Amino acid sequence: MTQNRLPEFNDPNAKSRRKFHNTFNGYVIEVLYGARDAEGKPVAPKDGENDGHGRWYGIETEGNYTMFSWQKPADEGGETEYGTEYKDDALSVMKENILEKLQLTREAEEIGRNYEGEDGEERLAAILEKWNAMKNWETPKEAEYLARYERAKTKFLDRISDVRENRKYKEEIIERAKALADSTNWREIQNEFDYLREELGMIGSAGEDTDSRIRHEFHKLQDEFRDRRKAYYNNLDSLRAEAKDKKEALIGEAEKLVKNVTNWKNAGKQMNELFNRWKEAGHAEREIDDALWERFNSLRKEFNAGRQAFFDERNAGFRKSVEAKTALIEKAKEIAAQKVFSKENTDAMKKLDLDWKAAGYSGKDDNDRLWDEFTAAKNVFWDGKHEEAVKRFKDAAERKQADADKLKKEIEDLEFKITITPKPEMKREIERDTDAKKKQLEAVEKDIADLKKKIEG
C-alpha cells in the first residue's frame, strides 16, 4: 500500500523515527501515537509501556510511503493492518529481494562483459525470470539495478551480434580459399591468399575456438596451394594472349559493377562470379599479368570496402532501431499500466505508432519480436479502453431502458383514459399526447438498439 504522504494521526504527542537504509536507498519510518494515561488523557507514547499507543511502520522512498503494518491504538480497537503479504517480515524480505536483485544484476554484467556462448541470451532471460519472480518493491535501488541489467543485456547483444557476423565473414573467407584449389593461376592465387589473409586480420573476434580453427584451416589451404604450384610446369605460353583479352574484359565488367551497385548482395555474387572467371582465364606475360591483376584487385578491394561500409552502417541502424523500439515498448507498458484512458493517454499511445514507424527496420533477428512485444503492450491499453467504453454504453442503455419503461407505463395510462373519456375534444387531446409519447418511446428504443450494437460490436 503506497501513498505520497503519511496518514493523519492527529496526535500532537506522536513520536516518529526515521532511519536511512542504503539497501533500498530510503528510510524506515515508525510512528507511535494515540497513547493514554490511566485517566484516559493523551500522553506521549513510550516503547514497552502499556499505554495503548498505536504504531504505523513502513518505508519512505523519494517521497512515497509504503505501509508494512499499522496497529491501531487501543481506543480504536487495537487491530493490526498489513500492507504486504509478508506482514511483520516485510522489511527483511524486501532487503533480501533487493540484495538478490543486485547479485542477479552483477551476473548479467559479467555476461555482458565477457561471455561469448550461444546460450547468453537464455542465461540473461533466466536472470530476468528470477528477478520477476520476486516482488517489485518499487524502490530506487531496484530501478537502478534493472537499468544496469538492461545496459548489460544491450552490451552483450551488441557484442555477440558482432561475433556472429565475424564468424559468418570468416567462414565465407575459408570457403573462398577452398574455391582456389582447382585454379592454376599461381600469382593470382597467391595474391588472393594475401588478400584473404588481410581480410581475416581486419575482421574482429569470432570467438576463441572459431578463430583458432579458422587460422588452422587457412594455413592448411595455403600449404596445399604451395604444393600444387611446385608441380606445375608447362603449357602457359600458348594461353597468355587469350588470358590477356579475357582479363581486360573482366576488368571492364568489374568497373561497371563497382560504379553501379544497387543491391550489395546481388553485386557480391556478381563480383565473385567475375573472380571465378578470372581464375579460369589463365596467365598473360608476367608484367602484363601483374598490371592486369593490380587493376582488377583494386576494383575488388574498392567493392569490398564499400560493401563493408554499407553493412556496418546498416547494422548500426538496426541497433539504433532496436534501442528506439525497446524504449517505445516500455513507454507503451507505462501508459497501459496507468489504466487511465484519457484523451491525453490515447493520443500518446497513437503517437507511439508514428514513432515506431520512424524508428525503421530492426533487422530480421529482432524486427518481428519487437513488433509482437509492442503490439502486446498496446493491446493492454486498447482492451482496457474498450472495456471502459462498453461499461459506459451499458450504463447508458440501462438508463434509457428505464426511460422506455416509464414511457410505456405513461402510454398505457393514456390509452386507458381514452377509453373512459366521454368528451370527444378531451379524447383527441389525450390521443395527441399518446402519439407524442409513442414517438418519444420510438426514439428511446432506437437509442437503446444503437447502444446494444456498440456493446456487441
Side-chain angles (χ1 to χ4, degrees):
M1 182 183 298
T2 301
Q3 55 194 45
N4 58 15
R5 62 185 178 86
L6 280 170
E8 294 288 341
F9 298 104
N10 297 319
D11 183 355
N13 297 314
K15 291 183 178 180
S16 64
R17 302 187 183 99
R18 291 168 59 88
K19 182 177 180 181
F20 185 77
H21 280 255
N22 286 324
T23 305
F24 63 93
N25 199 25
Y27 294 87
V28 174
I29 309 293
E30 181 181 44
V31 180
L32 304 180
Y33 74 101
R36 305 281 178 173
D37 61 15
E39 297 177 356
K41 296 179 180 180
V43 294
K46 295 181 180 179
D47 287 326
E49 293 289 333
N50 187 18
D51 54 14
H53 68 258
R55 177 178 180 261
W56 189 97
Y57 183 69
I59 62 171
E60 182 263 319
T61 56
E62 297 183 334
N64 292 316
Y65 295 84
T66 300
M67 184 189 80
F68 287 166
S69 64
W70 188 355
Q71 180 183 3
K72 303 300 175 63
D75 61 0
E76 294 181 12
E79 296 88 354
T80 299
E81 177 183 347
Y82 291 100
T84 77
E85 66 269 32
Y86 301 107
K87 297 186 176 180
D88 292 330
D89 296 326
L91 181 61
S92 61
V93 172
M94 182 186 73
K95 290 179 181 178
E96 290 174 4
N97 286 170
I98 293 174
L99 290 174
E100 186 172 352
K101 289 176 181 179
L102 173 59
Q103 181 59 35
L104 291 173
T105 298
R106 289 171 175 166
E107 291 178 17
E109 289 174 334
E110 179 61 26
I111 293 173
R113 282 191 298 269
N114 303 311
Y115 195 68
E116 292 184 348
E118 289 295 328
D119 63 338
E121 292 181 63
E122 288 79 4
R123 291 179 63 179
L124 286 168
I127 288 173
L128 187 59
E129 185 176 354
K130 291 179 182 178
W131 179 295
N132 290 332
M134 290 180 277
K135 179 179 176 60
N136 180 7
W137 298 90
E138 300 180 359
T139 66
K141 282 295 183 183
E142 289 173 287
E144 174 192 333
Y145 297 156
L146 186 58
R148 284 170 56 181
Y149 169 87
E150 293 297 339
R151 288 195 295 272
K153 179 180 179 181
T154 299
K155 185 176 181 180
F156 170 78
L157 292 177
D158 288 345
R159 184 164 50 78
I160 203 66
S161 175
D162 291 338
V163 167
R164 289 168 178 166
E165 286 294 314
N166 293 340
R167 187 176 300 157
K168 181 181 70 173
Y169 291 146
K170 289 187 177 184
E171 295 288 1
E172 289 176 357
I173 288 174
I174 291 298
E175 293 305 313
R176 286 158 61 187
K178 290 178 179 178
L180 303 174
D182 295 331
S183 176
T184 55
N185 294 326
W186 309 116
R187 181 174 295 277
E188 294 169 13
I189 296 174
Q190 181 62 63
N191 287 338
E192 180 63 11
F193 267 112
D194 292 343
Y195 176 78
L196 293 178
R197 185 173 59 253
E198 180 182 346
E199 256 197 293
L200 277 175
M202 292 172 60
I203 300 173
S205 172
E208 185 176 347
D209 292 342
T210 300
D211 287 340
S212 176
R213 175 178 59 80
I214 292 293
R215 283 194 299 270
H216 177 76
E217 288 189 38
F218 189 78
H219 291 156
K220 181 181 177 183
L221 291 168
Q222 279 188 307
D223 291 341
E224 292 173 353
F225 156 70
R226 295 186 183 105
D227 291 341
R228 288 192 303 110
R229 183 174 57 183
K230 290 178 182 179
Y232 186 81
Y233 292 105
N234 57 355
N235 294 329
L236 292 178
D237 290 342
S238 61
L239 302 174
R240 286 176 178 171
E242 181 182 354
K244 177 176 177 295
D245 293 338
K246 288 181 179 179
K247 290 181 177 181
E248 286 178 342
L250 290 171
I251 289 171
E253 291 184 46
E255 287 174 340
K256 291 180 181 178
L257 179 61
V258 170
K259 291 178 181 178
N260 299 285
V261 176
T262 56
N263 183 305
W264 284 103
K265 183 178 181 180
N266 293 337
K269 293 179 180 178
Q270 294 176 47
M271 182 60 78
N272 289 337
E273 182 183 349
L274 290 177
F275 179 64
N276 290 333
R277 289 164 59 191
W278 184 278
K279 291 184 292 185
E280 301 302 322
H283 294 281
E285 293 182 12
R286 180 173 180 176
E287 292 184 0
I288 295 174
D289 220 34
D290 289 347
L292 290 172
W293 171 249
E294 184 176 351
R295 290 169 59 194
F296 184 72
N297 196 40
S298 66
L299 289 168
R300 294 177 70 237
K301 288 182 178 180
E302 180 182 348
F303 174 84
N304 288 333
R307 179 175 61 179
Q308 186 64 47
F310 169 80
F311 284 112
D312 287 346
E313 182 179 356
R314 185 201 66 175
N315 292 337
F318 287 169
R319 289 192 291 271
K320 184 177 180 181
S321 175
V322 169
E323 291 175 3
K325 289 181 177 180
T326 300
L328 291 172
I329 290 169
E330 292 306 314
K331 183 62 178 175
K333 290 179 179 178
E334 178 184 333
I335 295 172
Q338 296 175 14
K339 297 183 179 179
V340 176
F341 308 105
S342 62
K343 183 179 186 301
E344 179 183 359
N345 277 0
T346 300
D347 291 343
M349 190 65 77
K350 290 178 179 178
K351 185 177 183 300
L352 292 183
D353 284 322
L354 299 177
D355 293 341
W356 186 275
K357 291 180 180 178
Y361 185 61
S362 305
K364 64 180 182 179
D365 293 335
D366 295 298
N367 204 70
D368 290 344
R369 173 185 63 80
L370 290 169
W371 174 250
D372 290 342
E373 292 182 19
F374 184 55
T375 301
K378 290 191 301 176
N379 284 344
V380 172
F381 177 83
W382 293 119
D383 290 347
K385 185 177 178 69
H386 176 71
E387 289 175 4
E388 183 183 74
V390 168
K391 183 179 182 304
R392 192 169 61 251
F393 293 149
K394 286 182 177 179
D395 291 344
E398 288 177 3
R399 291 194 299 271
K400 290 284 185 179
Q401 187 60 55
D403 292 342
D405 293 342
K406 181 180 177 183
L407 285 169
K408 288 177 181 178
K409 180 65 172 60
E410 291 174 352
I411 291 170
E412 182 179 335
D413 292 344
L414 289 171
E415 287 178 339
F416 175 73
K417 285 182 180 181
I418 291 172
T419 62
I420 65 173
T421 300
K423 296 181 180 181
E425 183 178 342
M426 291 180 63
K427 215 177 264 245
R428 285 192 296 272
E429 181 64 26
I430 295 172
E431 287 174 347
R432 284 194 294 271
D433 290 343
T434 302
D435 291 340
K437 294 286 183 181
K438 287 181 177 181
K439 288 180 179 179
Q440 291 178 32
L441 177 61
E442 183 180 348
V444 171
E445 288 179 337
K446 182 179 182 303
D447 291 342
I448 292 171
D450 291 341
L451 288 168
K452 287 183 177 179
K453 287 180 180 179
K454 290 178 178 179
I455 292 169
E456 294 169 358

